[in-house]
Amino acid sequence: MPTLEIRDLHVSVETKEGPKPILRGVDLTIASGETHAIMGPNGSGKSTLASALAGHPKYTVTSGTATLDGEDLLTMTVDQRARAGLFLAMQYPVEVSGVSVANFLRTAKTAISGEAPKLRTWGKEVKGAMENLRMDPAFAERSVNEGFSGGEKKRHEILQMELFKPRFAILDETDSGLDVDALRVVSEGVNRAKEETDIGILLITHYTRILRYIKPDFVHVFVDGKIAEEGGSELADRLEEEGYDKYLGANKTVSA
Amino acid sequence: MTLTTDHTRAVADGAHTHGAVKPQGSRAERRTSFSLEDIPIPNGREEEWRFSPADRLQPLFQADLGTSGVTVEVSAAPEVVVETVARDDARLGTAGKPGDRTAVTAWNAFEQATIVTIPKEAVASEVTSVRLTGVSKDATAAHVLVRAERHSEAVVVLDHDGSGTLAETVEIVVEDGAHLTVVSVQDWAAGAVHASSHRARLGRDAKLKHVVVTFGGDVVRVTPDTEFTATGGEVEMVGLYFADTDQHQEHRLFVDHAVPDCKSRVTYKGALQGSGAHTVWVGDVLIRAAAENTDTYELNRNLVLSDGARADSVPNLEIETGEIAGAGHASATGRFDDEQLFYLQARGIPEIEARRLVVRGFFAELIHEIGVPEVEERLLASIEAELEKSMSVITGAPTA
Ligand SMILES: Nc1ncnc2c1ncn2[C@@H]1O[C@H](COP(=O)(O)OP(=O)(O)OP(=O)(O)O)[C@@H](O)[C@H]1O
Ligand SMILES: [Mg+2]
């Protein structure tokens, strides 16, 4: 079974003062069909993990490995990783002015599947997926993410996930900034993808409310650049009640 | 980054123009003349030359320009009349006077001019093309006049190719009610040095769409001046440029709102790549005291694709009347955004294609504004060619 396997991953970010270590030994294995939730305090390195796996140039892997289905992700370019089946729904999707959503989706789909999608069926597919996510068809003609509201950007990310059919998707706070209806619509999108393909999901979130719609098989507590505890979905409820104090306290004594 | 001019101050300065000192560099005060003596060889510190490589333009500052370095070929729409005339033809020199040294040397040196006339009420059924081809390095003067007579309509495209050293005048006369589109494409080969003074004069309810496209040549400096002479005139000025290593591309516009009820829109966009690539955009708009109900907006945007390139952008709006319909400008220069690149690549799109998407996106809207399909297609092709060049520079990228 295909897996996304992360072993003892250490990552630094480039700063003006030189490289600054953020991830300090992350171990995580996600098999196809599994849903893993990552929860953790602000600044603990969750987005860093997501960006480093996707290959953002700002981050340098200083040691450790990450493989997708046995293939080394870390030597691949950003686009090669995406074509290998990795998808990142970003916390802050970027605006690309002058490039229409329709053109963007077609170009990306062509790149990922290695051939242009059949014009007719593709058009229908896009339209249907947009309908499912309650996106106005007019979005197809707008520039990518330009002037989109926070919630619209997130729907657009999930739209891409549904259309590109990746093998593994990392959703970085896709639930943040969504109202109750949007949260449901977006969660339905993720669940559709889970039903239709054997996608493995890494869901980064601060809130358990999304976990009521998308059931995680595993919950990981992320603190200070690594996973501090793992458990089932009951761990999420405990975190919501107790917060991260316990982990932060422990960490402080260690580093003091 | 957005620059804004303090309009309140511009208004205050204009409020007492009689005998009062104008703001420094006011276009109302700029000397224009047909005489070489009046506009001497610049030392490079003058306002209108301060961004220019005066040393590389030296040959065009000289009074003794020849006429043999460039050939002119015209392919006209059937409704359009094309003539080659001597310099004493009375129709020449009616669209305003030269405003800088290369404009005045061009005016004094040309021997024959090409006149393209769209006769009264004629509607040209196809594009008229004027091709100027550089055939030698000899500093050369050339003169083209495009006349759209009353209520005529046409599209005229001026192409510049080959390699040459050219001081050029393009006079544009748009008579009452005429609708004219003039496109000037500078697609020179390497080595070309080109200074071009475009001088346009618009009559009552006349419309001019003026398009400047600059890709090739070592130094290209285009100075379009537009003057309204009667109410209801409208000018849309569109420019697109793409500068590579060591190219200097300068566009200096002047829109003179001297009469009421006229409208001007200026949109210039440029991309730069490679060390020593330098672009200059200066947009002077003057709304004189009499020009009530003027509506003007100008915009310049630059996209810097690599290190070592420099874009200067100076919008300048002078307002001498409080009774205007609208006046504004915007200027912004941005670097190629690595986050955009990451986003597109994270969707499987290879770097080269991602860069193409972004640059095409940057120019897309502007290209559609041109409204001449054959020009739009050629432009897209030229942009592709420019991008090919840049990709060969950039693909030091990891290939794994
Ligand atoms: N360019 C940078 N310079 C300095 N520190 C940085 C830089 N980029 C990231 N960091 C730091 O790295 C740490 C991890 O950031 P990251 O965005 O991964 O956190 P996060 O867990 O996603 O937080 P949040 O829950 O707020 O989204 C933070 O402390 C952040 O300030
Ligand atoms: Mg984050």
Side-chain angles (χ1 to χ4, degrees):
Chain A
M1 206 190 325
T3 53
L4 175 62
E5 209 170 312
I6 303 156
R7 284 284 157 270
D8 195 29
L9 194 69
H10 288 71
V11 170
S12 296
V13 66
E14 303 303 328
T15 73
K16 281 187 206 82
E17 293 78 38
K20 171 182 169 188
I22 308 285
L23 299 189
R24 304 155 188 272
V26 178
D27 284 295
L28 186 61
T29 304
I30 302 172
S32 286
E34 290 179 355
T35 299
H36 294 241
I38 286 191
M39 302 181 80
N42 294 129
S44 56
K46 304 179 298 296
S47 292
T48 302
L49 175 63
S51 299
L53 289 175
H56 194 294
K58 210 170 73 177
Y59 302 95
T60 313
V61 174
T62 50
S63 68
T65 59
T67 56
L68 198 160
D69 213 1
E71 278 191 80
D72 185 1
L73 271 179
L74 302 179
T75 53
M76 297 183 198
T77 59
V78 176
D79 47 302
Q80 284 168 339
R81 296 177 199 209
R83 294 198 296 275
L86 185 71
F87 180 84
L88 169 60
M90 298 194 195
Q91 187 172 1
Y92 304 108
V94 182
E95 301 187 356
V96 190
S97 71
V99 179
S100 73
V101 166
N103 182 18
F104 164 68
L105 293 175
R106 196 177 347 97
T107 306
K109 182 68 181 178
T110 304
I112 288 167
S113 51
E115 56 177 356
K118 298 246 171 355
L119 226 61
R120 258 246 242 99
T121 48
W122 176 246
K124 273 194 201 136
E125 212 176 314
V126 172
K127 212 167 148 248
M130 288 179 78
E131 259 169 37
N132 284 337
L133 288 164
R134 315 271 191 283
M135 287 178 78
D136 191 312
F139 275 97
E141 297 315 315
R142 287 176 60 176
S143 291
V144 171
N145 292 322
E146 197 174 61
F148 288 21
S149 74
E152 287 163 353
K153 283 182 184 165
K154 298 301 175 72
R155 287 178 209 228
H156 180 230
E157 295 292 287
I158 297 305
L159 173 72
Q160 294 169 53
M161 188 190 77
E162 286 200 69
L163 290 169
F164 301 160
K165 308 202 187 319
R167 296 203 281 167
F168 291 93
I170 304 169
L171 311 183
D172 191 359
E173 294 201 28
T174 300
D175 55 334
S176 295
L178 294 183
D179 64 34
V180 198
D181 291 336
L183 182 70
R184 191 173 36 77
V185 164
V186 159
S187 302
E188 282 168 9
V190 175
N191 288 329
R192 263 196 307 278
K194 283 173 61 168
E195 274 162 37
E196 284 167 19
T197 66
D198 205 20
I199 189 170
I201 287 178
L202 181 62
L203 191 152
I204 298 171
T205 183
H206 284 292
Y207 309 103
T208 50
R209 58 174 197 160
I210 192 171
L211 303 180
R212 285 198 281 277
Y213 295 100
I214 306 169
K215 282 276 158 247
D217 302 300
F218 304 93
V219 174
H220 309 268
V221 186
F222 207 82
V223 181
D224 198 24
K226 59 181 175 210
I227 290 167
E229 191 178 351
E230 296 175 308
S233 58
E234 74 289 342
L235 180 54
D237 296 319
R238 211 184 74 207
L239 287 172
E240 187 146 86
E241 264 168 45
E242 299 174 5
Y244 302 108
D245 279 0
K246 172 174 139 193
Y247 306 102
L248 292 172
N251 184 57
K252 257 177 212 141
T253 19
V254 170
S255 58
Chain B
M1 178 187 19
T2 304
L3 304 174
T4 34
T5 299
D6 186 347
H7 296 166
T8 42
R9 188 168 168 274
V11 173
D13 279 335
H16 32 84
T17 46
H18 296 283
V21 182
K22 292 263 188 135
Q24 222 196 353
S26 168
R27 282 307 298 245
E29 302 287 285
R30 184 82 52 87
R31 178 120 207 209
T32 60
S33 170
F34 287 112
S35 158
L36 284 163
E37 288 75 58
D38 290 339
I39 308 179
I41 294 179
N43 57 36
R45 289 190 301 275
E46 297 80 359
E47 174 58 33
E48 68 267 37
W49 294 103
R50 67 188 176 107
F51 294 111
S52 315
D55 49 335
R56 290 154 93 186
L57 285 156
Q58 270 314 318
L60 299 179
F61 291 154
Q62 310 311 315
D64 58 350
L65 301 177
T67 57
S68 62
V70 165
T71 61
V72 183
E73 228 177 288
V74 186
S75 145
E79 300 82 3
V80 166
V81 179
V82 180
E83 301 158 82
T84 303
V85 302
R87 60 173 291 117
D88 58 359
D89 191 291
R91 291 168 296 180
L92 301 175
T94 61
K97 292 183 238 173
D100 64 26
R101 180 65 187 181
T102 49
V104 80
T105 57
W107 170 261
N108 282 280
F110 80 93
E111 283 167 10
Q112 292 188 315
T114 304
I115 302 185
V116 174
T117 302
I118 305 99
K120 193 170 71 172
E121 287 164 23
V123 176
S125 56
E126 49 191 80
V127 170
T128 294
S129 146
V130 180
R131 182 171 292 276
L132 293 96
T133 303
V135 292
S136 89
K137 289 253 169 249
D138 302 336
T140 290
H143 196 106
V144 177
L145 164 62
V146 181
R147 296 175 57 243
E149 294 186 350
R150 296 178 50 207
H151 299 291
S152 66
E153 283 178 34
V155 176
V156 178
V157 178
L158 280 82
D159 272 298
H160 303 84
D161 56 18
S163 190
T165 306
L166 175 66
E168 179 188 34
T169 306
V170 178
E171 286 192 276
I172 301 166
V173 175
V174 194
E175 294 185 357
D176 295 353
H179 290 188
L180 177 66
T181 296
V182 173
V183 182
S184 180
V185 182
Q186 289 67 240
D187 204 2
W188 297 104
V193 176
H194 181 205
S196 188
S197 167
H198 288 221
R199 300 199 288 274
R201 227 174 124 82
L202 277 73
R204 175 183 293 271
D205 299 326
K207 271 193 190 167
L208 171 65
K209 186 183 281 190
H210 184 265
V211 183
V212 174
V213 178
T214 303
F215 284 109
D218 283 8
V219 179
V220 175
R221 188 175 186 275
V222 184
T223 55
D225 295 350
T226 303
E227 188 188 350
F228 295 103
T229 64
T231 59
E234 218 179 294
V235 66
E236 185 185 350
M237 306 179 84
V238 175
L240 190 158
Y241 46 92
F242 205 131
D244 292 303
T245 304
D246 291 331
Q247 278 186 310
H248 177 92
Q249 298 178 348
E250 180 165 347
H251 301 92
R252 277 182 178 266
L253 292 78
F254 176 40
V255 181
D256 190 349
H257 281 276
V259 295
D261 303 318
C262 292
K263 179 176 168 181
S264 57
R265 286 286 177 275
V266 177
T267 314
Y268 269 61
K269 282 189 169 190
L272 300 83
Q273 61 190 7
S275 72
H278 187 197
T279 65
V280 178
W281 179 86
V282 178
D284 289 339
V285 175
L286 173 62
I287 305 175
R288 294 182 193 261
E292 291 182 354
N293 202 30
T294 288
D295 181 3
T296 179
Y297 193 83
E298 51 171 356
L299 170 103
N300 176 231
R301 291 211 187 293
N302 298 293
L303 180 61
V304 180
L305 298 172
S306 70
D307 289 335
R310 175 177 150 190
D312 287 299
S313 179
V314 187
N316 178 31
L317 187 51
E318 289 178 69
I319 307 173
E320 297 180 347
T321 171
E323 304 295 313
I324 52 171
H329 59 69
S331 155
T333 297
R335 293 192 53 83
F336 190 88
D337 185 348
D338 290 336
E339 294 299 327
Q340 283 185 341
L341 192 60
F342 174 66
Y343 187 78
L344 295 170
Q345 281 191 269
R347 272 49 178 151
I349 302 169
E351 175 172 2
I352 289 183
E353 211 179 323
R355 283 181 177 270
R356 275 204 193 112
L357 268 182
V358 171
V359 175
R360 273 199 220 122
F362 175 72
F363 285 124
E365 217 180 302
L366 189 67
I367 289 177
H368 293 310
E369 265 174 50
I370 293 171
V372 186
E374 47 258 81
V375 173
E376 290 177 10
E377 274 156 40
R378 272 178 46 197
L379 267 183
L380 284 169
S382 298
I383 290 173
E384 294 301 313
E386 289 293 335
L387 286 168
E388 288 302 328
K389 278 191 231 166
S390 71
M391 294 319 156
S392 56
V393 178
I394 287 157
T395 35
T399 39

